[in-house]
Amino acid sequence: MRAARLHAYGKPMQIDDVPRPTPGPGQVVIRVEGAGFCHSDLHIISGDIPALPRMPLTLGHENAGTVAAIGPGVTAVREGDRVAVYGGWGDGFCDYCVAGEENLCPSMQWVGLSNHDGGFAEFLLVPHERYLIRLNTLEPKAAAPLTDAALTPYRAVTRVLPSIRPDYPVLVIGCGALGQFGVKILRLFSGADIIAIDLDEAKLATARGSGATHTINATDPDVLRRILELARGIGVSAAFDFVGADSTLTLALASTRTQGRVVKVGLAGGTAQVAALKTVKPEVAVSVSWWGNIRELREVLALAENGRLTPIPLEFWPLDRINEVYDRVKHGRVAGRAVMTP
Ligand SMILES: [Zn+2]
């Protein structure tokens, strides 16, 4: 089968002919129909986050498709079932996995980011049937981005909902795929005004369409003053940083009111400077949100199946053009999500 593999950081991916996987006991092979190209793939491919345990490796951690083969003992799915793949594969027995928080497993083996090859290939080996969620009406290629681009903001938002009140706005920094889903999920679950920030006017327009109440271009020199004005001079109740750079974290901290929440989601490599009486107001809690668990993915897919969580703009690409997609993502030309369709 064909697979787009990374052989070295900073180099284009290569389309290689590799053996098609066969499922062992409890395992499932899916024919990949959609594999989202995530912004975190950029950081990995470029070598900014040199997290891969081996090369060459097939990336792709937002996957969905059709069950092509099942191993002995598999009962949850059958050949031909359309499924989304949960990608945070843990060891299954540590404290976090036992608690259902497989995304936090210390020995995580994530699909496309570990020894397990990912979905930028015709077929994907899934090591356990529990990672598959059957789709009803959703097309696999539309479901694929939900497994990270929607799941990650879903966890980030739902975990801090008790801190979000209708009388203070919330802040969303970065309106790429995760930020756009972040706005939609905040709109769905909270009554708060949503302030969205990005460098790109088109993405801000999309954010308004998704439910953002106010949008501010990040190049505006008065961005902090404008946020505070919208927050009655006090600050937002929660700030979600989907970029994670020094400048965005600084803005998130400065915008958040006393006892508010700052949630870092983006992996741009920034450092949050937390200094009492200087950069943060009293009792602001700063947290790092990390993907999502299987239950949360089931909830996200249910919201998408019933139409309450609406899609972001998607563009579909054949596998052999993956390096073009890399360039498009790198230069911010993808309005929502680029999805490979091997
Ligand atoms: Zn574990």
Side-chain angles (χ1 to χ4, degrees):
M1 68 163 184
R2 290 178 316 132
R5 299 199 298 172
L6 186 68
H7 289 252
Y9 294 121
K11 292 279 195 284
M13 282 162 282
Q14 295 178 24
I15 306 295
D16 295 329
D17 197 27
V18 300
R20 177 174 161 180
T22 50
Q27 300 182 334
V28 177
V29 168
I30 71 160
R31 178 185 287 278
V32 181
E33 288 171 35
F37 197 107
C38 179
H39 213 271
S40 57
D41 289 325
L42 275 192
H43 298 308
I44 302 272
I45 293 165
S46 68
D48 294 342
I49 304 177
L52 302 183
R54 67 170 166 87
M55 298 266 187
L57 190 89
T58 308
L59 278 79
H61 57 268
E62 291 186 343
N63 304 306
T66 301
V67 174
I70 60 172
V74 169
T75 57
V77 293
R78 288 193 278 188
E79 272 180 42
D81 281 351
R82 299 189 308 167
V83 291
V85 181
Y86 174 75
W89 302 342
D91 53 24
F93 56 80
C94 73
D95 287 349
Y96 301 96
C97 287
V98 165
E101 302 277 36
E102 213 160 321
N103 52 313
L104 304 181
C105 179
S107 46
M108 62 204 176
Q109 288 290 310
W110 293 350
V111 58
L113 297 166
S114 66
N115 277 308
H116 294 287
D117 284 310
F120 296 153
E122 290 176 276
F123 294 91
L124 172 68
L125 176 67
V126 179
H128 199 282
E129 57 187 319
R130 72 172 178 274
Y131 299 131
L132 301 176
I133 299 156
R134 269 209 302 271
L135 301 172
N136 296 317
T137 55
L138 270 180
E139 289 284 333
K141 64 183 183 179
L146 299 173
T147 63
D148 177 14
L151 173 59
T152 298
Y154 183 81
R155 180 181 178 89
V157 168
T158 53
R159 297 239 153 190
V160 302
L161 274 182
S163 300
I164 296 177
R165 295 171 25 172
D167 51 347
Y168 289 91
V170 292
L171 179 64
V172 171
I173 302 176
C175 298
L178 275 76
Q180 287 177 30
F181 273 122
V183 169
K184 287 172 187 284
I185 290 161
L186 281 161
R187 187 72 300 142
L188 212 48
F189 283 90
S190 91
D193 280 355
I194 302 166
I195 306 168
I197 295 186
D198 200 279
L199 293 163
D200 184 285
E201 282 299 326
K203 287 179 179 164
L204 292 175
T206 308
R208 285 193 292 276
S210 298
T213 329
H214 309 278
T215 55
I216 306 173
N217 196 298
T219 57
D220 185 334
D222 276 340
V223 59
L224 176 60
R225 188 183 56 76
R226 290 184 59 195
I227 293 166
L228 293 176
E229 258 174 33
L230 292 167
R232 292 188 278 137
I234 293 172
V236 301
S237 59
F240 299 90
D241 186 352
F242 290 103
V243 180
D246 284 341
S247 61
T248 57
L249 285 163
T250 300
L251 181 64
L253 290 166
S255 303
T256 301
R257 76 187 187 99
T258 294
Q259 287 193 320
R261 301 289 306 262
V262 172
V263 184
K264 178 186 184 293
V265 183
L267 298 175
T271 304
Q273 301 282 345
V274 177
L277 303 174
K278 287 182 183 165
T279 63
V280 287
K281 296 181 185 72
E283 300 195 357
V284 167
V286 181
S287 62
V288 176
S289 197
W290 205 243
W291 210 337
N293 62 37
I294 297 174
R295 175 183 58 76
E296 288 161 339
L297 180 56
R298 289 182 181 182
E299 293 168 6
V300 165
L301 290 168
L303 287 170
E305 294 267 16
N306 68 26
R308 292 191 179 90
L309 184 62
T310 54
I312 59 171
L314 298 179
E315 51 184 70
F316 300 107
W317 292 85
L319 198 58
D320 53 9
R321 294 179 73 181
I322 192 163
N323 292 307
E324 266 175 77
V325 173
Y326 173 89
D327 281 335
R328 283 182 63 74
V329 176
K330 185 176 180 179
H331 295 110
R333 290 201 290 268
V334 177
R337 196 54 125 202
V339 178
M340 309 311 300
T341 55

